[in-house]
Amino acid sequence: MFSNLAIDVALGLIFVFLLYSLLASIVQEMIARLFNARARILTKGLRRLLEDNDHSGALGIFGRFTFFNWFYEMGWSVVYFFSPFHKSPFLKKFYQSPSIKYLGENSAAARPAYISPQIFSQTMVHLLRGQATENQPEKAAISECLAQNTLQLGPDTLAHVRNLFEDAQQDVPQFRKNMETWFNETMTRASGWYRRQTQVWLLILGLGIAAVFNVDSIAIARILMKDKSAREQMVQLVTSRQPSYAAMTDTLLRKNVMHRDSAYFRHDTSFQMLIKDTALISIYGILRQDAGDAQSILGICRSCVTDSTGGKKQIHCGFTHPYQQNGWMVLAGWIITSLAISLGAPFWFDLLGRVVKFRTAPQQR
């Protein structure tokens, strides 16, 4: 059996990163639900799709620089957070269509978190044809709407929709297919936006969790290298908890709490997003308990010590472990932990499985 020092230290660190990555994912998911983050990303994607919302022109010559654009767009993100349809009349009309309006869960989450390509194209056709009559068939009504721009589409959006209609040779079923392809292309990119947003949240949450739970990667590595008893106990904890962590990771992946790819806007996610919060809370409780067990093994924590020297009692609170006497090293350990957490639980779970498999592999002679 492979059981050398380096592998056991790596195993302990990977387990710690997996544990707190899962914890951060649960907290991030709760925040995402609180602020209806998925619906907001969908709205952002539809805004890019249906409105000409390029703000770089307002910055003049500074609009050529990514640095200024980034801060300017951050400001607009705040505006859209409180007013999602600001200067977006067609987007507001799109969301007010019955086929979209009633997809929302309730008044608190009025905007849906998922729209299928078929619903998108159907809604667009309904808006473009308006109140078509028997004397004016659907094809003619759409053609007239695009020619007169009665929906007041932005210039770029109008030009693209006209091109899609002409590419379909004004055949409405083909026009719908073209719009579905257009929608899918944008939603694939929206999936990337959501993943990047999630990674930023995990980085921020990772630093907060590292500070709150005192997850100092540098100190943990030193403890595992120097303390044989702690190393053996950590390996035992890893081997006993790995099967349950496999179930947890699989559950969170299936329920779309964590993401491996850009399949966020899939057909099967329309109901997977509506899981009960009790499932997340249950997993959160298990992870908190495991975090306590790991801390007990490693022995790194904050505590208050009473100092009676000089005849006067004084209480000093802070880090008690000898490996955490340097504040800058502690901060560096926290930053390493937050960077590790931002990689996501699936990454650490896969790596843990490979290391465990390598450790238990029979030694070749």
Side-chain angles (χ1 to χ4, degrees):
M1 296 284 184
F2 287 103
S3 176
N4 60 46
L5 174 66
I7 294 176
D8 287 351
V9 171
L11 199 63
L13 279 172
I14 292 169
F15 175 75
V16 169
F17 293 151
L18 171 61
L19 168 61
Y20 288 100
S21 293
L22 286 168
L23 195 61
S25 294
I26 296 295
V27 175
Q28 188 274 332
E29 175 66 13
M30 291 179 176
I31 292 173
R33 292 184 180 200
L34 179 64
F35 293 105
N36 206 11
R38 289 186 175 91
R40 294 183 186 278
I41 287 292
L42 177 60
T43 303
K44 178 182 178 180
L46 289 171
R47 188 182 299 113
R48 290 290 297 165
L49 199 70
L50 302 175
E51 299 282 354
D52 299 335
N53 67 332
D54 185 8
H55 304 121
S56 59
L59 292 175
I61 191 173
F62 295 102
R64 301 176 184 178
F65 301 97
T66 303
F67 177 80
F68 296 104
N69 266 318
W70 188 84
F71 282 102
Y72 192 59
E73 290 295 338
M74 282 292 292
W76 275 106
S77 296
V78 175
V79 172
Y80 289 134
F81 182 88
F82 294 101
S83 180
F85 305 127
H86 180 74
K87 294 184 178 180
S88 303
F90 182 71
L91 182 64
K92 184 176 182 180
K93 188 176 294 185
F94 179 88
Y95 269 96
Q96 288 177 340
S97 299
S99 55
I100 303 297
K101 181 179 180 181
Y102 299 111
L103 293 178
E105 185 178 358
N106 48 45
S107 58
R111 283 176 289 156
Y114 169 81
I115 295 175
S116 70
Q118 293 75 23
I119 292 295
F120 170 77
S121 64
Q122 181 188 68
T123 304
M124 286 293 293
V125 167
H126 289 172
L127 290 171
L128 289 170
R129 79 184 182 191
Q131 300 296 326
T133 62
E134 292 183 2
N135 296 329
Q136 187 184 35
E138 187 176 61
K139 172 182 173 180
I142 294 174
S143 180
E144 181 179 345
C145 176
L146 292 175
Q148 302 296 327
N149 194 18
T150 55
L151 292 177
Q152 299 181 340
L153 295 170
D156 293 340
T157 303
L158 177 62
H160 188 66
V161 174
R162 283 174 175 171
N163 287 335
L164 293 178
F165 191 56
E166 292 303 321
D167 288 345
Q169 298 181 348
Q170 299 190 359
D171 178 64
V172 175
Q174 184 59 45
F175 177 50
R176 286 190 56 174
K177 290 181 180 179
N178 291 350
M179 286 195 293
E180 288 166 13
T181 302
W182 178 36
F183 176 83
N184 283 328
E185 288 291 331
T186 303
M187 290 304 107
T188 298
R189 284 152 183 78
S191 300
W193 303 340
Y194 187 78
R195 290 202 315 279
R196 286 194 296 271
Q197 177 180 287
T198 299
Q199 195 164 28
V200 171
W201 271 109
L202 287 177
L203 183 63
I204 296 170
L205 288 171
L207 188 58
I209 287 173
V212 170
F213 291 95
N214 192 21
V215 192
D216 181 353
S217 296
I218 297 175
I220 292 172
R222 294 177 68 186
I223 292 168
L224 292 174
M225 284 189 292
K226 299 293 185 181
D227 191 335
K228 182 179 180 181
S229 176
R231 188 167 62 248
E232 290 176 348
Q233 290 181 62
M234 183 62 74
V235 170
Q236 290 177 2
L237 180 63
V238 173
T239 53
S240 65
R241 298 301 296 155
Q242 189 194 12
S244 61
Y245 275 40
M248 283 185 204
T249 305
D250 182 63
T251 299
L252 295 177
L253 283 169
R254 284 189 293 103
K255 292 182 176 181
N256 217 47
V257 173
M258 299 185 301
H259 314 281
R260 286 186 185 273
D261 51 29
S262 61
Y264 168 64
F265 291 98
R266 295 179 303 181
H267 294 281
D268 56 350
T269 61
S270 58
F271 62 88
Q272 289 177 357
M273 293 178 191
L274 305 178
I275 61 174
K276 301 295 182 183
D277 287 337
T278 52
L280 298 182
I281 294 172
S282 175
I283 296 176
Y284 177 81
I286 295 172
L287 294 173
R288 281 295 303 270
Q289 183 177 353
D290 289 348
D293 293 340
Q295 280 189 324
S296 298
I297 293 172
L298 296 168
I300 54 172
C301 62
R302 297 185 187 90
S303 63
C304 296
V305 179
T306 303
D307 185 7
S308 301
T309 57
K312 186 178 180 180
K313 288 186 177 181
Q314 291 182 333
I315 298 177
H316 302 284
C317 297
F319 305 110
T320 59
H321 201 281
Y323 290 157
Q324 288 194 297
Q325 300 305 307
N326 188 322
W328 290 109
M329 289 294 288
V330 172
L331 179 60
W334 290 351
I335 292 174
I336 293 172
T337 301
S338 67
L339 291 172
I341 288 175
S342 70
L343 293 176
F347 172 83
W348 294 112
F349 177 75
D350 291 342
L351 188 58
L352 180 68
R354 292 175 185 177
V355 174
V356 169
K357 185 178 179 180
F358 178 76
R359 185 179 182 275
T360 57
Q363 185 175 3
Q364 294 183 358
R365 298 183 182 276

